[in-house]
Amino acid sequence: MPDALFAHPRLAPLYDAFDGDRDDLAAYVAIAGELGADRVLDVGCGTGGLAILLADAGRTVVGVDPAQASLDVARSKDPAGRITWVHGDARRPAVPSGFDLAVMTGNVAQVFLTDDDWARTLGNVHAALRPGGHLVFETRRPERRAWQEWAADTAPVTLDVPGIGPVERRMEVTDVSLPLVSFRYTYRFPADGAVLTSDSTLRFRDRDEVEASLAEGGYRVLDVRQAPDRPGREFVFIAERS
């Protein structure tokens, strides 16, 4: 099941407000152009930020996500219906094949906690790509120990969200059992006193592990880059379906 942050109808509309400017997305649009990709599969598209940018650039886009509430937000940004939004799990995607490019932004690649789930996801994306198509995704570098920064930054953040009103969000790290790290977001709505929580767990894979899994999944790693908005903190993998 997707995390409440993405799946709860009261929390999904808050994602864009608290996530701020997605400076990371421009790099993916540029990579799509670099690879000459016309048909793009956005795996774990969430509220549709990247899918909208890709469609604005003239590409045919399919966004797939297991969280219906996030897809509802994404559809609201696409009144012309340029994008095909699919409610589904990357481990069992109900999408067509023949894509030039598949992308996984943000923490998507890290939500697959078991080797089996990750391998199944890579296999399904492989089947959706045309021969010679590309998979591009990012993953946090475990040696940077991002969870230590998260644990140190516990101050609540309050935003006045348009159409919703003030919302307070607090984050806490709840467990570190490497390679898994768990954390909780707590949201408080002063208008009615409601308090909602969302628990998440990410798996931190090192570069060798990711590259080995790609090779086993039928991919050839072409390049491993730094995320331009977070240099030294993440790897961006560019792999070709072999």
Side-chain angles (χ1 to χ4, degrees):
M1 295 293 293
D3 302 340
L5 168 61
F6 309 107
H8 194 288
R10 197 166 183 183
L11 296 183
L14 302 176
Y15 179 82
D16 292 335
F18 279 97
D19 209 45
D21 293 332
R22 292 293 303 274
D23 295 336
D24 57 311
L25 300 184
Y28 283 86
V29 176
I31 291 172
E34 177 185 333
L35 297 174
D38 292 323
R39 299 187 67 231
V40 183
L41 175 63
D42 187 356
V43 179
C45 64
T47 57
L50 176 58
I52 296 293
L53 292 177
L54 290 167
D56 288 345
R59 292 176 170 81
T60 299
V61 185
V62 173
V64 59
D65 200 281
Q68 185 62 60
S70 290
L71 286 177
D72 290 341
V73 175
R75 285 194 181 95
S76 72
K77 303 175 184 178
D78 181 35
R82 299 175 300 166
I83 299 164
T84 300
W85 304 104
V86 177
H87 183 216
D89 190 318
R91 294 166 296 186
R92 298 175 293 276
V95 298
S97 58
F99 289 96
D100 303 311
L101 170 66
V103 295
M104 290 187 282
T105 61
N107 295 323
V108 172
Q110 292 184 250
V111 304
F112 305 104
L113 306 183
T114 69
D115 292 338
D116 184 63
D117 279 350
W118 178 233
R120 186 179 298 118
T121 297
L122 291 178
N124 287 329
V125 171
H126 188 280
L129 291 170
R130 63 166 175 79
H134 297 88
L135 168 62
V136 179
F137 64 92
E138 64 192 72
T139 185
R140 295 175 185 271
R141 298 172 60 165
E143 65 269 23
R144 288 302 300 260
R145 306 179 73 84
W147 55 89
Q148 293 181 342
E149 297 178 13
W150 301 342
D153 186 11
T154 59
V157 175
T158 301
L159 296 179
D160 192 357
V161 183
I164 296 174
V167 182
E168 178 192 275
R169 185 180 79 171
R170 184 186 299 270
M171 180 188 184
E172 62 177 318
V173 175
T174 54
D175 186 66
V176 178
S177 300
L178 296 178
L180 305 182
V181 176
S182 299
F183 52 93
R184 174 177 297 144
Y185 284 116
T186 299
Y187 296 85
R188 187 174 68 85
F189 298 80
D192 60 7
V195 176
L196 298 174
T197 60
S198 177
D199 291 289
S200 302
T201 300
L202 300 179
R203 177 164 173 171
F204 285 74
R205 297 176 174 88
D206 63 29
R207 176 172 174 170
D208 289 345
E209 182 181 2
V210 174
E211 290 191 348
S213 69
L214 287 168
E216 291 171 3
Y219 297 88
R220 182 168 65 97
V221 177
L222 301 180
D223 197 6
V224 182
R225 303 177 181 179
Q226 297 191 62
D229 62 311
R230 283 162 284 183
R233 294 177 176 270
E234 300 192 358
F235 291 122
V236 177
F237 290 87
I238 301 178
E240 180 183 50
R241 173 185 163 173
S242 54

